Amino acid sequence: MIGKNPNIALIGAGIMSATLGVLIKKLIPNAKLILFERLDQVAAESSNAWNNAGTGHSAFCELNYTPLRDGVVDISKALRISESFEISKQFWAYLKKTDWVDTPYPFINDIDHMSFVWGEENISFLQKRFRSLSSFPIFEDMQYSDDFQQIKNWIPLMMEGRNEREEIAVTKMDIGTDVNFGAITKSMIAYLQKFDDVEVLLSHEVKQFKKIDNAWLVEVTDLENDEDKTMAAEFVFIGAGGGALPLLEKSGIPEGRGYGGFPVSGQFLQCTNPEVILRHEAKVYGKAATGSPPMSVPHLDTRMLDGKRSLLFGPYAGFSTKFLKNGSFLDLPLSIEMHNVWPLLAAGVHNIDLTKYLIKQVTQSKEDRFEFLQKFYPEAKIEDWELITAGQRVQIIKKDEQEGGVLKFGTEIIVSEDKSMAALLGASPGASTSVSIMLDVLKQCFPNQIETDDWKKSLQEMIPSYGQSLIEDGDLCLKTRAYTTEILKLA
Ligand SMILES: Cc1cc2nc3c(=O)[nH]c(=O)nc-3n(C[C@H](O)[C@H](O)[C@H](O)COP(=O)(O)OP(=O)(O)OC[C@H]3O[C@@H](n4cnc5c(N)ncnc54)[C@H](O)[C@@H]3O)c2cc1C
């Protein structure tokens, strides 16, 4: 168990380390935090607003969270994700209420979340999904329509030039959100910097770890001054995004063995025509094509980027051997070691569909990409759109007794046996669920403290529903949602 004034090292200035830092500073006020970031600014990788899709994932519109199994729509993941997002909103509402975060423009905006499908089979799936979800208060107010006129009222831009006989259906949730995860990350880190015992070291790259009795020696290079430094920490969190896997390997903890990573980058078409941008006001998610990975679900999104309204369509997948957008092409080859070569090969053999999908995506022309956009917006004009590159995701490949290696699309927390180190791998559902993921880190690494009355009281102050289920307790869910809606100034 760590002491009352521990030295804690957080690696990476993204939303995960920032969230954990704020939680720790509230729960262990005397903790000395040191945050290392290899870039010269915070929130410059996946957490940056331009590097992700900004969807407040609540499972309102993402069809990949509700797979069809033997004719039945499995909504368990959707319920979990929706509840996690309500937890994030409560935490952010607390930060806003207490003036702990202060952004120049709102970091969260309300925007309709809609699912949009074509064809009899998909419509039947959407109807089943709608019936299953809308029986839970957390999905209260979800609307369904397969009426052309009604859909046209909701999303006129997408209906222009569309054949009225086309079979389409839509669900709509008015309380969806677009989140600028970069703005909230920057603000949380700025808040942490106000403490005398918090140090944020930019242009500092963590290179190596050594374990001594009850502490970690963290070896860091100051990239600006080309100087090596060593710091001691009783607890280390590796929140390095795509850079977490190589660091986990360097830590040498046995729990990190057998993991590999497979990088997939995201690209979007950004609309450059201001008139078109103003004629669409929703995040509209379609259905991923058969064989394609969950992060490839296409969506046409209104975004609020740096306080300005934008319209983006994608994602398209790209392939690069970098683990970070600002990483090195050697990231993937250097991550391959004896302990993960077999899981990597086995996962490759079992995911031929993914390989084919990536090859197809990478070899697409501008016209191919545009044709896909026209399924959503038939009257789109190619000259109104330009391709932009977003962030890099590293999908987890994990050793598996039966298959040798499996590809995972979620996130995974890896904790050393003595609980002095935790690392986060994977990137989905991502920033939206950052608060729940960091609460899990605390549960796993500080199991005794989290059960104390002091910690419970502090956690309930930040997250009023902490310890209770928003899925089982519908009244609590609606009450909590009304509270966050008011504080965060949502609709
Ligand atoms: C294309 C795309 C779309 C996405 N869309 C969504 C979405 O719509 N909604 C959603 O909720 N999530 C989305 N995500 C996921 C979300 O962006 C991530 O889950 C989240 O930002 C991860 O935060 P992080 O703090 O773990 O990592 P990052 O924000 O990547 O931060 C990690 C930091 O660690 C630093 N670092 C790395 N190695 C070292 C080292 N050795 N030493 C020091 N520093 C280091 C990096 O420079 C970086 O700043 C998307 C991601 C991508 C790529």
Side-chain angles (χ1 to χ4, degrees):
M1 192 198 261
I2 65 166
K4 282 197 160 48
N5 315 316
N7 284 321
I8 291 181
L10 304 172
I11 304 172
I15 196 163
M16 299 297 173
S17 294
T19 303
L20 188 62
V22 171
L23 283 168
I24 288 179
K25 213 54 205 139
K26 174 82 181 166
L27 296 167
I28 318 175
N30 292 332
K32 294 186 197 70
L33 299 189
I34 182 154
L35 189 152
F36 300 110
E37 168 55 54
R38 66 190 283 272
L39 300 177
D40 60 2
Q41 46 184 312
V42 305
E45 280 285 343
S46 292
S47 301
N48 184 283
W50 287 97
N51 288 340
N52 59 66
T55 304
H57 286 304
S58 308
F60 293 160
C61 57
E62 308 87 337
L63 301 176
N64 56 309
Y65 296 155
T66 48
L68 194 62
R69 297 191 212 283
D70 301 325
V72 177
V73 179
D74 179 355
I75 62 165
S76 51
K77 186 171 182 183
L79 288 169
R80 245 184 1 255
I81 290 172
S82 209
E83 183 178 45
S84 289
F85 191 62
E86 294 298 325
I87 289 172
S88 291
K89 282 198 293 182
Q90 290 177 65
F91 180 68
W92 298 335
Y94 173 77
L95 299 184
K96 186 131 193 272
K97 209 171 70 172
T98 49
D99 290 330
W100 285 19
V101 296
D102 182 18
T103 50
Y105 35 78
F107 62 82
I108 180 165
N109 292 283
D110 56 290
I111 187 86
D112 296 355
H113 275 196
M114 302 174 70
S115 306
F116 184 92
V117 296
W118 303 260
E120 203 180 323
E121 199 181 318
N122 289 335
I123 292 174
S124 152
F125 162 73
L126 193 67
Q127 284 169 342
K128 281 185 189 168
R129 178 185 194 269
F130 168 68
R131 278 197 293 271
S132 304
L133 291 180
S134 45
S135 62
F136 285 85
I138 205 159
F139 292 101
E140 196 184 80
D141 295 333
M142 185 178 271
Q143 299 173 69
Y144 168 88
S145 180
D146 47 25
D147 176 74
F148 194 91
Q149 273 312 320
Q150 174 65 78
I151 299 174
K152 197 170 174 181
N153 289 342
W154 285 343
I155 35 173
L157 187 84
M158 288 178 60
M159 302 303 279
E160 278 170 18
R162 198 177 285 280
N163 185 338
E164 290 210 20
R165 292 219 298 274
E166 197 177 342
E167 284 183 299
I168 48 175
V170 164
T171 55
K172 177 172 180 280
M173 276 295 270
D174 292 347
I175 57 159
T177 51
D178 179 65
V179 187
N180 186 326
F181 298 111
I184 189 164
T185 304
K186 284 180 199 161
S187 194
M188 282 193 283
I189 293 177
Y191 164 75
L192 285 172
Q193 283 179 293
K194 290 182 186 157
F195 291 90
D196 291 340
D197 48 9
V198 175
E199 237 184 312
V200 175
L201 296 179
L202 301 180
S203 303
H204 277 65
E205 183 163 27
V206 175
K207 296 280 188 182
Q208 193 52 276
F209 305 97
K210 269 198 202 113
K211 186 82 208 278
I212 47 164
D213 301 334
N214 47 10
W216 286 96
L217 294 180
V218 184
E219 296 178 9
V220 188
T221 300
D222 174 345
L223 300 171
E224 230 167 66
N225 301 308
D226 197 16
E227 197 187 309
D228 292 335
K229 300 175 180 172
T230 302
M231 317 268 173
E234 284 151 84
F235 176 73
V236 175
F237 173 63
I238 306 179
L245 179 69
L247 287 177
L248 183 64
E249 290 182 319
K250 284 181 181 150
S251 76
I253 61 170
E255 294 76 10
R257 295 183 73 74
Y259 284 95
F262 184 77
V264 180
S265 60
Q267 294 173 325
F268 289 92
L269 284 177
Q270 184 187 8
C271 183
T272 52
N273 183 334
E275 266 178 51
V276 176
I277 295 170
L278 290 179
R279 276 168 41 226
H280 183 78
E281 200 166 357
K283 276 181 180 273
V284 183
Y285 274 59
K287 206 163 181 281
T290 312
S292 59
M295 75 279 193
S296 66
V297 175
H299 40 104
L300 183 65
D301 282 6
T302 298
R303 301 276 316 269
M304 288 306 288
L305 289 160
D306 305 331
K308 204 170 146 233
R309 189 159 151 179
S310 301
L311 183 62
L312 274 80
F313 179 75
Y316 301 94
F319 179 72
S320 150
T321 52
K322 291 182 183 182
F323 278 176
L324 292 160
K325 194 173 176 181
N326 300 286
S328 152
F329 288 111
L330 294 176
D331 287 343
L332 177 61
L334 289 180
S335 76
I336 302 172
E337 296 187 354
M338 282 305 285
H339 70 93
N340 62 15
V341 65
W342 175 237
L344 276 160
L345 287 173
V349 169
H350 291 119
N351 288 281
I352 297 290
D353 278 352
L354 175 68
T355 314
K356 281 191 201 152
Y357 164 82
L358 285 174
I359 293 171
K360 227 166 125 190
Q361 285 280 301
V362 173
T363 52
Q364 276 191 119
S365 64
K366 185 170 180 187
E367 285 70 24
D368 295 334
R369 288 195 188 95
F370 185 67
E371 212 176 287
F372 192 39
L373 165 66
Q374 282 182 315
K375 291 201 163 110
F376 275 67
Y377 170 25
E379 303 227 314
K381 293 193 175 62
I382 198 160
E383 63 271 21
D384 287 345
W385 298 81
E386 64 184 25
L387 192 67
I388 56 168
T389 299
Q392 198 71 358
R393 293 184 208 247
V394 179
Q395 305 303 146
I396 310 169
I397 290 172
K398 191 178 175 183
K399 193 171 174 180
D400 181 80
E401 288 303 325
Q402 266 145 32
E403 308 218 351
V406 285
L407 185 62
K408 299 258 188 181
F409 290 106
T411 39
E412 197 138 335
I413 302 166
I414 288 106
V415 176
S416 64
E417 195 189 358
D418 66 357
K419 307 186 194 318
S420 63
M421 175 177 277
L424 184 72
L425 298 182
S428 193
S432 304
T433 53
S434 50
V435 181
S436 300
I437 298 174
M438 290 307 105
L439 287 175
D440 279 345
V441 167
L442 292 174
K443 267 181 211 150
Q444 293 188 42
C445 299
F446 303 87
N448 299 327
Q449 288 97 321
I450 205 147
E451 290 303 327
T452 61
D453 289 343
D454 278 358
W455 275 44
K456 278 190 188 153
K457 200 166 148 238
S458 294
L459 287 166
Q460 274 158 2
E461 195 187 330
M462 292 185 277
I463 302 155
S465 77
Y466 178 77
Q468 298 170 79
S469 167
L470 295 175
I471 297 161
E472 282 159 25
D473 191 338
D475 289 343
L476 178 67
C477 172
L478 299 180
K479 201 172 121 204
T480 305
R481 192 173 270 171
Y483 155 77
T484 53
T485 297
E486 190 196 329
I487 308 280
L488 297 173
K489 297 196 170 36
L490 301 171

